[in-house]
């Protein structure tokens, strides 16, 4: 699946869906702080990386695993756009 | 014999200006820590704290939190470390079970304490004291050491572990218990004044007591590792490099996490000498990853539950394991401990024979706080054939002695599991989940996964008729009752759970179904 097609916001919605269904997190707003809010721990992060890699077909490397890429749904969406463009 | 606080006092006399502890914000010397904790202890006495009173300390990992522990000991009390992240009902039960008369609290933890409905010991409840106010108030007290009446066999701290009935158990650890471990470990790891050692374990867990008191005794620098560094795999290696650590001690799950994302370079951490882990099995592929990259480091596996203080056996690897399926022995007893395999008949088992791992000697604690029944059950007299006198601790772990004379771990006899270094009774999660009104039935299963976490916790449940319940709602409710590390990673709702011929929920069938569905192979 290619995320760049479709309207702005579709990708954010898709990531929100992964967080809610695969990681069983509550429904969060796109700019909610996933790290400060305590929603992401290392187990959840591994899960999330697995689902992003499966869904969007790119590999997440050590240098990608940083707060700026994972601190909110918006940031994750930006990160996915950058890698799968 | 000396008390734990005297380990600091001696280092402060020998090397007053050397750095004792470094946290994310500050550095403190041995002399400053010594006088600061004396002042804080005098304030506690002035407030009415008496010998053997329990004091909860609910604050994030920092110099002032460690200072609060030491101050409680210096005032003759027993400290009870509490998770500042809660959840409030669990912390509240711990305050009640331990009978704390006073809780020292940081601003971050104040909302959690406010939510908890605990009753501080009614005799003369000292209430809550803000750690930051305490530091200011303490400044007006003299910095000289105090005389206390506590002795080496009095409790130093009470540490809570997960309990199968849903109620956490408070293990009473004495000054002598901890001191005995340090007397073996510091010479073995050659921990001395030139060392910079990690403080990785959360302060509620007993590995942290070796971090703290082992480094104070050695005159070494203790570098408290901020918990937020556990999230991204690059951050811990960067910390080890920046702080030029010489000794690292943690649960193996964080080490496996770094290995999974290949965060360690060949020849990384040139000043690191000793790497030790405890708390669960370190999977061989990840262990080999580390050993191949760090040929200059000595790798030691430690084993032992909180009830027998920090660790009771050790095994230092002399070569990189060749085979992924090979397991690492838990090794031989530390000095002063006796570790025996006891058969179902209650006798010391022969070589190679499987049985329960039982521990006697200097590490065996007093048992569970105000719970004589469970203490008597878990700490019976030593089995016939053991050379130590007195009581032993029945770990509930299975093991055997291999042909080389090393102990090997062979799983659990019950439903206790280890996940990311945390000891979890599945029963505690089940009790919590079944207390949620919308849940009709629920079981918690632990499945092995080929992952750094080792074990995945899965919840299968059904909802009360007419109740709107889903995985997300359930997780949110459960998160109010148990700590985050106990939350199941996966949820599965069913209309009804299968029963076995005894009319109980059929765990065997559910487990088989999950494994067939490939949850394990994910």
């Amino acid at each position: 699946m290619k995320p760049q097609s479709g309207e702005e916001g579709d990708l954010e919605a898709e990531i929100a869906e992964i967080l809610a269904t695969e990681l069983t997190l509550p429904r969060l707003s796109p700019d909610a702080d996933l790290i400060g809010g305590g929603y992401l721990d290392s187990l959840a992060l591994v899960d999330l990386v697995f689902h992003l890699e499966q869904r969007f077909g790119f590999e997440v490397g050590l240098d990608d695993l940083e707060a700026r890429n994972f601190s909110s749904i918006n940031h994750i969406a930006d990160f996915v756009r950058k890698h799968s463009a | 014999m000396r008390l734990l606080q005297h380990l600091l006092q001696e280092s402060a006399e020998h090397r007053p200006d050397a750095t004792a502890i470094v946290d994310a914000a500050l550095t403190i010397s041995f002399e400053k820590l010594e006088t600061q904790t004396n002042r804080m202890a005098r304030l506690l006495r002035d407030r009415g704290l008496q010998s053997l009173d329990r004091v909860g300390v609910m604050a994030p990992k920092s110099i002032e939190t460690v200072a609060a522990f030491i101050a409680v000991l210096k005032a003759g009390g027993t400290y009870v470390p509490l998770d500042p992240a809660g959840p409030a009902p669990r912390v509240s039960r711990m305050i009640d079970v331990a009978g704390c008369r006073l809780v020292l609290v940081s601003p971050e933890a104040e909302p959690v304490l406010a939510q908890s409905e605990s009753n501080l010991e009614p005799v003369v409840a000292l209430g809550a004291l803000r750690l930051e106010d305490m530091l200011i108030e303490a400044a007006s007290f003299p910095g000289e050491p105090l005389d206390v009446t506590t002795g080496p066999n009095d409790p130093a701290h009470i540490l809570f572990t997960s309990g199968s009935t849903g109620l956490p158990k408070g293990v009473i650890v004495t000054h002598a218990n901890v001191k005995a471990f340090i007397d073996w470990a510091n010479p073995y790891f050659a921990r001395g004044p030139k060392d910079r050692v990690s403080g990785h374990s959360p302060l509620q867990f007993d590995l942290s007591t070796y971090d703290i008191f082992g480094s104070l005794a050695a005159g070494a620098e203790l570098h408290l590792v901020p918990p937020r560094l556990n999230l991204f795999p690059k951050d811990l290696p960067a910390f080890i490099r920046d702080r030029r650590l010489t000794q690292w001690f943690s649960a193996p799950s964080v080490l496996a996490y770094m290995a999974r994302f290949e965060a360690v370079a060949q020849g990384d951490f040139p000043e690191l000498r000793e790497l030790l882990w405890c708390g669960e099995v370190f999977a061989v592929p990840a262990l080999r990853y580390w050993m191949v990259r760090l040929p200059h480091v000595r790798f030691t596996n430690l084993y032992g539950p909180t009830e027998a203080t920090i660790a009771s056996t050790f095994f230092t690897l002399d070569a990189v394991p060749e085979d992924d399926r090979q397991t690492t022995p838990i090794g031989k007893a530390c000095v002063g401990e006796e570790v025996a395999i006891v058969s179902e008949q209650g006798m010391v088992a022969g070589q190679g024979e499987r049985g329960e791992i039982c521990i006697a000697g200097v590490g065996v604690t007093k048992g569970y706080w105000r719970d004589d029944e469970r203490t008597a059950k878990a700490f019976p007299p030593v089995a016939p054939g053991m050379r130590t006198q007195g009581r032993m601790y029945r770990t509930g772990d299975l093991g055997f002695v291999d042909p080389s004379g090393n102990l090997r771990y062979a799983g659990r006899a019950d439903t206790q599991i280890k996940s990311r270094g945390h000891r979890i009774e599945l029963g505690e999660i089940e009790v919590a989940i079944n207390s949620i009104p919308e849940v009709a039935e629920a079981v918690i299963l632990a499945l092995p996964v080929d992952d750094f976490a080792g074990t995945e916790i899965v919840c299968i449940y059904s909802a009360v008729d007419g109740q709107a319940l889903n995985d997300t709602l359930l997780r949110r409710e459960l998160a109010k009752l148990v700590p985050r590390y106990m939350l199941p990673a996966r949820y599965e709702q069913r209309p009804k759970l299968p029963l076995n011929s005894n009319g109980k929920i059929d765990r065997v069938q559910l487990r088989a179904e999950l494994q067939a569905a490939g949850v394990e192979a994910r």
Side-chain angles (χ1 to χ4, degrees):
Chain A
M1 188 186 294
K2 283 284 168 190
Q4 66 266 38
S5 61
E7 286 171 33
E8 183 82 0
D10 282 3
L11 182 58
E12 282 76 1
E14 199 173 347
I15 287 160
E17 188 65 25
I18 293 175
L19 293 179
T21 56
E22 304 293 349
L23 277 67
T24 62
L25 294 182
R27 288 279 169 189
L28 297 163
S29 69
D31 59 355
D33 183 354
L34 298 178
I35 297 167
Y39 298 108
L40 274 190
D41 61 10
S42 57
L43 264 190
L45 188 69
V46 168
D47 247 11
L48 177 60
V49 165
F50 171 83
H51 289 290
L52 294 178
E53 288 181 339
Q54 292 288 305
R55 191 84 59 105
F56 302 112
F58 67 94
E59 204 172 309
V60 179
L62 178 64
D63 291 329
D64 299 322
L65 292 168
E66 286 191 341
R68 63 189 163 86
N69 291 332
F70 288 91
S71 55
S72 68
I73 290 172
N74 283 335
H75 284 124
I76 298 169
D78 289 344
F79 167 66
V80 170
R81 278 196 196 92
K82 205 168 67 193
H83 276 264
S84 50
Chain B
M1 208 211 79
R2 300 167 301 167
L3 302 173
L4 292 178
Q5 59 266 35
H6 298 144
L7 301 173
L8 166 60
Q9 196 180 331
E10 281 186 9
S11 286
E13 281 162 16
H14 291 132
R15 27 199 349 256
D17 300 325
T19 297
I21 313 180
V22 185
D23 70 11
L26 298 166
T27 292
I28 195 166
S29 69
F30 284 98
E31 187 178 37
K32 275 230 167 91
L33 186 61
E34 168 65 11
T35 49
Q36 177 68 21
T37 51
N38 288 339
R39 293 181 208 279
M40 290 163 81
R42 286 176 189 280
L43 169 67
L44 290 172
R45 299 294 290 197
D46 189 63
R47 277 280 185 125
L49 193 79
Q50 294 176 2
S51 288
L52 307 183
D53 278 348
R54 276 80 52 209
V55 179
V57 183
M58 195 171 171
K61 198 194 280 180
S62 68
I63 289 174
E64 63 185 41
T65 304
V66 174
F69 293 169
I70 299 167
V72 171
L73 298 180
K74 287 184 167 184
T78 304
Y79 73 83
V80 184
L82 301 166
D83 189 344
R90 194 167 192 264
V91 168
S92 162
R93 279 200 303 275
M94 290 175 179
I95 294 171
D96 288 344
V97 169
C100 293
R101 286 187 66 207
L102 175 70
V103 177
L104 304 177
V105 65
S106 69
E108 300 89 328
E110 262 178 301
V112 180
L113 187 66
Q115 278 172 47
S116 78
E117 288 158 4
S118 58
N119 302 304
L120 293 173
E121 195 82 331
V123 194
V124 189
L126 302 175
L129 184 57
R130 295 178 67 165
L131 208 42
E132 54 185 16
D133 296 339
M134 183 185 179
L135 292 172
I136 296 164
E137 276 186 56
S140 58
F141 287 84
E144 281 73 49
L146 298 73
D147 286 327
V148 286
T149 55
T150 37
N153 292 317
D154 284 324
H157 37 254
I158 294 177
L159 302 177
F160 280 92
T161 67
S162 181
S164 57
T165 58
L167 199 65
K169 300 178 286 193
V171 180
I172 311 160
V173 185
T174 66
H175 289 261
N177 289 146
V178 178
K179 181 68 172 43
F181 182 80
I182 295 170
D183 285 345
W184 168 76
N186 273 7
Y188 187 78
F189 298 112
R191 185 169 283 195
K194 290 192 172 128
D195 277 307
R196 291 175 295 279
V197 308
S198 65
H200 181 271
S201 164
L203 300 177
Q204 309 86 265
F205 297 106
D206 81 336
L207 304 191
S208 72
T209 64
Y210 179 53
D211 297 335
I212 295 170
F213 297 104
S215 67
L216 290 178
E221 277 180 27
L222 173 64
H223 289 256
L224 297 173
V225 185
R228 63 182 158 75
L229 300 190
N230 290 321
L231 183 53
F232 296 107
K234 275 198 304 192
D235 292 348
L236 285 177
F239 183 88
I240 300 173
R241 274 175 225 126
D242 291 349
R243 303 299 183 93
R244 298 164 48 221
L245 297 186
T246 59
Q247 302 204 1
W248 177 270
F249 183 26
S250 73
S253 47
V254 287
L255 301 170
Y257 186 52
M258 292 183 249
R260 186 188 189 282
F261 287 102
E262 303 192 19
V264 181
Q266 187 63 40
D268 223 337
F269 324 131
E271 293 178 74
L272 193 66
R273 289 192 296 111
E274 302 277 352
L275 188 147
L276 27 156
W277 66 92
C278 187
E280 62 195 326
V281 175
F282 193 175
V284 170
L287 170 60
R288 196 170 46 205
Y289 173 92
W290 277 85
M291 290 187 74
V292 165
R293 275 155 192 78
L294 307 180
H296 55 287
V297 174
R298 194 167 73 140
F299 290 80
T300 302
N301 181 21
L302 295 170
Y303 160 84
T306 304
E307 284 87 340
T309 315
I310 310 169
S312 304
T313 73
F314 68 103
F315 182 83
T316 297
L317 286 100
D318 53 12
V320 182
E322 284 170 16
D323 185 348
D324 277 356
R325 287 159 305 179
Q326 214 174 318
T327 59
T328 308
I330 57 174
K332 298 198 161 80
C334 305
V335 172
E337 319 239 12
E338 180 181 8
V339 182
I341 304 296
V342 176
S343 69
E344 273 180 41
Q345 291 72 38
M347 306 295 286
V348 174
Q351 196 185 69
E353 200 185 324
R354 272 170 202 250
E356 184 176 8
I357 303 175
C358 293
I359 302 168
V362 291
V364 175
T365 58
K366 282 182 183 280
Y368 304 115
W369 180 256
R370 288 182 183 165
D371 193 340
D372 293 343
E373 199 179 314
R374 282 201 283 189
T375 300
K377 218 172 137 198
F379 294 84
V382 292
M386 289 174 76
R387 48 188 167 70
T388 311
Q389 305 285 309
R391 300 174 311 136
M392 64 178 186
Y393 173 63
R394 297 183 56 177
T395 63
D397 288 336
L398 302 175
F400 62 94
V401 179
D402 72 13
S404 65
N406 282 304
L407 287 154
R408 299 237 171 205
Y409 171 76
R412 284 293 298 176
D414 57 17
T415 58
Q416 185 188 103
I417 62 153
K418 283 295 183 93
S419 177
R420 288 180 290 164
H422 297 290
R423 172 171 151 184
I424 301 168
E425 288 284 357
L426 297 181
E428 181 173 356
I429 311 174
E430 280 186 357
V431 169
I433 206 160
N434 280 300
S435 74
I436 297 170
E438 293 83 3
V439 171
E441 305 166 301
V443 287
I444 300 292
L445 297 173
L447 296 177
V449 282
D450 182 22
D451 194 352
F452 75 97
T455 305
E456 181 168 75
I457 304 171
V458 182
C459 170
I460 304 174
Y461 67 99
S462 64
V464 171
D465 278 347
Q467 291 287 345
L469 185 62
N470 60 39
D471 299 351
T472 307
L473 286 173
L474 182 60
R475 186 185 194 276
R476 191 162 64 205
E477 287 307 305
L478 192 56
K480 295 176 187 166
L481 302 170
V482 300
R484 211 185 306 157
Y485 61 80
M486 285 196 192
L487 288 176
R490 271 157 228 258
Y491 300 79
E492 197 178 313
Q493 185 170 174
R494 303 208 178 181
K496 183 119 196 52
L497 301 192
L499 301 181
N500 63 20
S501 53
N502 298 324
K504 290 184 167 176
I505 296 171
D506 195 339
R507 292 162 190 275
V508 179
Q509 188 192 326
L510 285 170
R511 174 180 293 274
E513 285 175 21
L514 286 175
Q515 284 176 341
V519 170
E520 190 188 1
R522 178 176 60 87

